[in-house]
């Protein structure tokens, strides 16, 4: 239930920021999105760590990712808050897709190995 509420707040923050809403919740919710989206993506990739280390590492990675995006946008003189939210969203979705597709890749490799053993015997 808590994860669903966090997802709702983060999604609302991104939506409020991208629509340029005048709501007083736009700032805090958008900030929550900028931290929560990459934290979730990085945290999912760190399955092997214990929970505390996983949260701490994912949070540090999210802050570093946000700062790298901001620095990159400033370096190429293309800074915009909408662009930052879109970039964080795109990178977070890409990380999630890479993590979710990784087990499929392993399964395909196993199937290929087994097919090679059957053909060779």
């Amino acid at each position: 239930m808590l994860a669903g509420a966090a997802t709702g707040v983060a999604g609302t923050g991104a939506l409020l920021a991208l629509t340029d809403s005048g709501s007083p919740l736009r700032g805090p919710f958008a900030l929550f999105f900028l931290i929560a989206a990459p934290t979730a993506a990085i945290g999912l990739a760190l399955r092997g760590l214990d929970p505390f280390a996983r949260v701490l590492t994912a949070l540090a990675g999210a802050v570093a990712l946000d700062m790298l995006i901001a620095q990159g946008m400033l370096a190429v003189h293309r800074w915009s808050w909408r662009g930052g939210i879109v970039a964080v969203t795109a990178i977070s979705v890409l990380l999630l897709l890479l993590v979710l597709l990784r087990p499929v890749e392993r399964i395909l490799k196993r199937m290929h190995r087994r097919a090679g053993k059957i053909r060779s015997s």
Side-chain angles (χ1 to χ4, degrees):
M1 190 163 163
L2 188 60
T7 303
V9 168
T12 303
L15 186 66
L16 288 174
L18 290 175
T19 59
D20 200 20
S21 173
S23 172
L25 296 175
R26 180 182 73 178
F29 281 13
L31 182 61
F32 182 76
F33 171 77
L34 289 173
I35 297 296
T39 299
I42 295 170
L44 190 61
L46 300 173
R47 292 184 195 152
L49 296 177
D50 65 284
F52 181 71
R54 186 175 175 179
V55 169
L56 191 63
T57 305
L59 190 59
V63 170
L65 181 67
D66 287 342
M67 289 191 319
L68 284 172
I69 289 171
Q71 185 177 3
M73 291 176 73
L74 287 170
V76 296
H77 304 288
R78 297 285 183 212
W79 170 254
S80 74
W81 51 270
R82 279 191 182 131
I85 289 178
V86 170
V88 168
T89 303
I91 292 175
S92 297
V93 167
L94 181 64
L95 283 171
L96 281 171
L97 286 176
L98 288 174
V99 169
L100 293 176
L101 293 178
R102 186 173 50 188
V104 173
E105 185 178 290
R106 289 181 190 159
I107 291 170
L108 291 175
K109 283 182 183 177
R110 286 183 199 153
M111 288 174 54
H112 182 68
R113 283 187 218 146
R114 288 183 185 168
K117 288 180 183 178
I118 292 171
R119 288 183 191 153
S120 64
S121 40

